[in-house]
Amino acid sequence: MEIAGYRIPPEVVRIREDIKAMKIRGAGNIARHGAQAIAIAAEKYSGVDLEDFRKYLKTVADYVKSARPTAVSLPNSVSYVVSRLERSTPPSVREAIEVVTTAAREFISYSESAVKLIAQLGARRIERGDTIMTHCHSRASVEVIITAHRQGKVERVYVKETRPMLQGLIAAAELAREGVEVVLIPDSAVRYYMKRVDKVVVGADAVAANGAVINKIGTSLVALAAREARARVYIASETYKFSPYTVVGELVPIEVRESTEVVDSTWLAENPEVTVLNPVFDATPPEYVDAIITERGVIPPQSAILILIEEYGVTPVSTEHPAYSPEPE
Ligand code: RUB
């Protein structure tokens, strides 16, 4: 593949395709692969012109970032790596490649340790005998539940199947493998079982400046049912899922995927008059969230802006900041 005169290495094309096709999925995993893709692209560069290398990397970064629109962890991880190069003055392409690959390694290792820390902090919020509900498959929230389970606190976990792609099955299998008592339920049974639930633990694809949490479609309904049943709602989220774009007034784009993920193409062909919609994320307002468990601490959703200010600077937020670089989608 070629973009703007630059050849995109096939390994990078593969990573982007796998993210698009959801073979690589989950916001943290997507972010780590995004960083890795930039490192691979850097290593594959064979020229000697530093300015050209920067342009090449920016082209690859824009290409990788556009794989899926909602998980802000992807542009954030890619920008983290590229901004390291932008801020440094390596004497040659060889050193510049080193800057990029080191930054990618740093991001990946930060991300891994963030999940471990979230698991420890989140488990503190689980009490002995708690019944938990989770939605979709989020590595951060599965790790919280497994850690609490190892501490002997978890009674049972209700896992929603999560139509249409059934990522709940991945979460259910991972939890069951650890010896957690798992009950898999259809999405429509959420309210029915919520009265037995003490705590909801889910992940995030993005956290907005006002503390709204964007996660797999249906999360907001789980939160609504939890509020009614007085169950607490915890979001397990690394801070690189906080969206700097929302500080400058942008909304988190909600990805709408193919109708064939909802019904098969035969049914679609037989019912051409029916419109099938497949939005894959929704926003849960901060009022429905008890706390966001981050690697920097357990915070009320309303404090999301503090994390963003700490990370990206005080107002006015520069639209020139690497994390704000124009998005292709
Ligand atoms: C996955 C999803 C997960 C978040 C957090 O959606 O909504 O809850 O990405 O996951 P999809 P993690 O399957 O469409 O990618 O905690 O693993 O980052």
Side-chain angles (χ1 to χ4, degrees), residues 22 25-30 68 135-141 167 203-205 215-216 236 238 241 281:
M22 290 175 64
R25 48 149 299 283
N29 199 27
I30 288 173
R68 280 188 85 183
H135 178 55
C136 193
H137 169 263
S138 142
R139 171 145 173 247
S141 46
Q167 295 96 323
D205 280 82
N215 191 48
K216 181 53 56 190
E238 303 90 300
K241 294 172 185 169
F281 298 100

Side-chain angles (χ1 to χ4, degrees), residues 7-9 11-12 15 34-46 53 56-57 59-61 64 97 100-101:
R7 182 177 171 272
I8 312 291
E11 296 87 343
V12 174
I15 290 176
Q36 194 197 336
I38 302 304
I40 294 172
E43 277 165 346
K44 297 278 170 190
Y45 184 78
S46 54
F53 176 66
Y56 159 76
L57 216 63
T59 306
V60 177
V64 172
I97 293 172
V100 171
T101 53

Side-chain angles (χ1 to χ4, degrees), residues 135-196:
H135 178 55
C136 193
H137 169 263
S138 142
R139 171 145 173 247
S141 46
V142 164
E143 294 292 333
V144 168
I145 299 169
I146 289 175
T147 306
H149 163 73
R150 288 182 183 154
Q151 296 168 355
K153 295 178 182 171
V154 179
E155 177 79 19
R156 172 177 302 143
V157 181
Y158 287 99
V159 181
K160 296 174 71 243
E161 61 176 355
T162 316
R163 286 259 313 143
M165 298 298 275
L166 302 176
Q167 295 96 323
L169 274 60
I170 306 171
E174 285 185 2
L175 291 167
R177 256 200 309 277
E178 286 290 324
V180 178
E181 185 182 322
V182 176
V183 181
L184 184 71
I185 58 168
D187 292 316
S188 42
V190 168
R191 188 163 175 261
Y192 183 79
Y193 285 111
M194 191 56 87
K195 43 182 143 345
R196 303 182 194 178

Side-chain angles (χ1 to χ4, degrees), residues 86-155:
E86 281 165 5
R87 281 188 226 139
S88 66
T89 46
S92 71
V93 167
R94 200 158 56 81
E95 271 92 349
I97 293 172
E98 187 59 31
V99 169
V100 171
T101 53
T102 305
R105 269 199 306 276
E106 260 175 39
F107 179 85
I108 292 167
S109 117
Y110 180 88
S111 165
E112 291 291 352
S113 38
V115 172
K116 288 192 186 117
L117 213 47
I118 287 169
Q120 297 300 325
L121 298 181
R124 291 196 181 147
R125 285 297 172 111
I126 310 296
E127 289 158 299
R128 196 165 285 277
D130 269 354
T131 292
I132 298 170
M133 185 179 280
T134 192
H135 178 55
C136 193
H137 169 263
S138 142
R139 171 145 173 247
S141 46
V142 164
E143 294 292 333
V144 168
I145 299 169
I146 289 175
T147 306
H149 163 73
R150 288 182 183 154
Q151 296 168 355
K153 295 178 182 171
V154 179
E155 177 79 19

